[in-house]
Amino acid sequence: MEQQERDGVTTRLPEPAALADTSAEVPEKHLVPVFDAKSVSIFYGSFRAVTDVSLTIYEHEITAFIGSSGSGKSTVLRAFNRMNDLVPIAHMDGEIDYRGVSLYGPDVSPVAVRRRIGMVFQKPNPFPKSIYENVAYGPRINGIRKKSHLDEIVESSLQKAALWDEVKDRLNKSGLGLSGGQAQRLCIARTLAVEPDVVLMDEPCSALDPIATGRIEDLMHEIKSQYTIVIVTHNMQQATRVSDRTAFFSVLRNEKPGGNDTRTGVLVEYGTTQQIFEDPHDSRTQAYVTGRIG
Amino acid sequence: MNGVVGRVAWKVVIAAIVVYLLAPTLVVVLFSFYPSAYLKFPPQGFTLKWYGPHLLDYPSLTTAMENSLIVAFAATVGSVVLGTLVGLALGKYRFRGLGTANLVQFAAISAPDIVLASSLLAFFVTLRVPLGLPTIIVAHIMFCLSFVAVTVRARVLTLDRSLEEAARDLGAGPWATFRLVTLPLIFPGVLAGALLAFAISIDDFVVTSFVSGSTQTFPLWIWSATRNGLPPQVDVLGTLIFVGGLLIAGGSALFGRRGTR
């Protein structure tokens, strides 16, 4: 049942290569849109976490989501690989296109979506298995059984995650024995092992020291030519260091008569990282990037 | 000087507690090697003959033991499956009635056996269910379930939810995620619940005696035999259950230690 669903959908989600041919149609030269979010609002029960977000994410770019807590940036990130589907009370209005196909369309399976659109989490969370098994987990799930093939994937994924040299002699040791920075790179290798098109990163460095953070940022630059990356970060310096484009989210408070205040996240401004930090158009963006509000 | 006395006294206290805990069991083990069919203290002589073919001298005892094992295994399997599902639901989800559901679990654990026993009997009689092995099994699953649910829930509460999300993110469906990530992580809780369920089921007397009809289990057989004196076969079976329990507990401790590495 699941297998059927998967195969059916895999053919429906367009391959990145196939889309490269149609790049002439896109408005900006050499910019291929990967995600196109149109008026996205996301609710948890009756709570409107984020309201009316529209933005386009481009191929082989690093896009940073910045903003204060509660501004909905992680919520929007999790909409890109339908991770919010796992929260029973969550639902979404609006539409997100992934390479021209509606991500939430009736024929699209979340399983296929998540395989194509990988995620790295806030806290390094290796499975309580060996380093090898952590990386091989995804390929195995997706039906790769041959040992030599798995070996190959494990090595190349760990290479890409700049972890291979540190762990090649202890692949059978537990992934839980690694330092925080190594564990997070292992999680990145685990994500890359299923050959995703997009890597979503939800504050991937918030639990790491500056040196480990630097290594992850270098790694992002290295893999950028092969993947499209969206990163949520609380660290504005990180956004300026790694990203091509920045989206600034903020909390909007609605004071209703009767004292029933509601708050919701909104996208305030979206542009190239340089423009957002050097020439912000919105006063709220300016206040945030110059550090005047939290 | 004072320190030495204190330390010796401390050791005596500990030894007394250990003796207090183990003495009744050791008496059973001792008697299982006692040559005469009648209990006499102190035991004289040593034999392994009750461990041989003589173990089956009482067919009704053999049947009762078989019944107890059938019930214990069925109750363990049934309560582990249902209890794990309940424990997962209670640990993972926030829903209306969660507090009540948790309370019901603890109520089922803390309710006196005699209350469960009489209400189960009333239930079966009302529905005209013939009493026998099936009713014993249903009753045992019922009172073991809460123990499994509670141990599994405790484990689920410590679970890092992002691990499940990571598995889902790699393309695992709900079932593959459960089998390959969630279940291994909560397995120590499931195993502890299973051992608890087996131990509670195999020696249950009160509830079983109410819902068994004419079916006998090991504890029921012993109870009915006490009037005429217990044959050494009971000591042998008791010893075997005890040793089996030790092996399982030791094995699970080893497994647990390996699992945390």
Side-chain angles (χ1 to χ4, degrees), chain A residues 13-24 32-34 59-60 98-99 116 195-197 226 228:
Chain A
L13 285 181
E15 292 296 328
L19 257 116
D21 305 335
T22 65
S23 58
V32 179
V34 174
E59 190 176 52
H60 301 319
Y98 164 70
R99 295 190 179 275
R116 192 71 66 75
E195 295 171 11
D197 177 27
Q226 299 165 61
T228 303

Side-chain angles (χ1 to χ4, degrees), chain A residues 23-284:
Chain A
S23 58
E25 293 167 18
V26 303
E28 274 179 89
K29 228 169 86 185
H30 76 262
L31 281 181
V32 179
V34 174
F35 288 117
D36 200 5
K38 288 170 267 186
S39 305
V40 169
S41 297
I42 298 165
F43 303 79
Y44 294 113
S46 59
F47 171 60
R48 186 190 275 260
V50 66
T51 302
D52 199 20
V53 170
S54 300
L55 54 69
T56 306
I57 309 275
Y58 296 99
E59 190 176 52
H60 301 319
E61 283 196 344
I62 299 179
T63 305
F65 286 3
I66 62 169
S68 53
S69 302
S71 59
K73 52 196 191 307
S74 286
T75 304
V76 172
L77 187 80
R78 292 164 64 90
F80 285 145
N81 69 344
R82 297 190 58 169
M83 205 53 99
N84 289 329
D85 291 15
L86 302 182
V87 181
I89 57 168
H91 84 272
M92 191 186 94
D93 284 354
E95 218 172 300
I96 299 178
D97 281 357
Y98 164 70
R99 295 190 179 275
V101 173
S102 174
L103 202 57
Y104 285 77
D107 304 327
V108 174
S109 127
V111 174
V113 166
R114 293 188 200 111
R115 196 167 347 116
R116 192 71 66 75
I117 300 158
M119 190 161 208
V120 175
F121 297 82
Q122 191 166 353
K123 212 179 100 225
N125 61 349
F127 297 132
K129 297 171 187 284
S130 71
I131 293 168
Y132 183 97
E133 286 303 324
N134 262 281
V135 183
Y137 180 88
R140 274 195 218 277
I141 283 281
N142 293 298
I144 295 173
R145 295 270 177 273
K146 234 173 92 188
K147 177 89 169 82
S148 58
H149 193 182
L150 285 172
D151 287 351
E152 225 170 82
I153 294 174
V154 168
E155 177 171 351
S156 71
S157 304
L158 286 168
Q159 293 272 18
K160 281 186 203 162
L163 189 61
W164 175 251
D165 291 336
E166 290 160 62
V167 300
K168 64 179 179 216
D169 299 323
R170 46 175 174 144
L171 291 176
N172 293 320
K173 293 274 160 57
S174 169
L176 301 180
L178 298 174
S179 72
Q182 288 175 324
Q184 192 62 298
R185 275 179 283 144
L186 176 62
C187 294
I188 293 173
R190 182 176 68 187
T191 301
L192 299 185
V194 291
E195 295 171 11
D197 177 27
V198 182
V199 179
L200 306 175
M201 297 182 159
D202 190 357
E203 298 183 43
C205 302
S206 61
L208 305 182
D209 64 48
I211 295 170
T213 300
R215 301 205 61 168
I216 303 264
E217 289 176 4
D218 291 345
L219 162 64
M220 290 171 68
H221 279 298
E222 278 159 33
I223 63 174
K224 182 181 142 175
S225 60
Q226 299 165 61
Y227 305 96
T228 303
I229 299 174
V230 186
I231 177 173
V232 167
T233 178
H234 267 120
N235 181 335
M236 280 185 281
Q237 278 73 39
Q238 182 166 59
T240 57
R241 281 193 303 260
V242 301
S243 70
D244 303 292
R245 254 166 239 275
T246 297
F248 170 61
F249 290 79
S250 182
V251 182
L252 186 71
R253 286 192 170 75
N254 266 330
E255 282 173 32
K256 280 188 187 164
N260 279 336
D261 284 11
T262 57
R263 55 186 191 80
T264 187
V266 287
L267 173 63
V268 175
E269 191 168 354
Y270 179 47
T272 64
T273 300
Q274 193 179 6
Q275 181 256 309
I276 293 287
F277 282 89
E278 289 174 8
D279 180 26
H281 300 328
D282 193 292
S283 60
R284 287 170 292 176

Side-chain angles (χ1 to χ4, degrees), chain B residues 164-177:
Chain B
E164 290 182 332
E165 291 183 340
R168 297 297 288 266
D169 181 62
L170 295 169
W175 171 241
T177 304

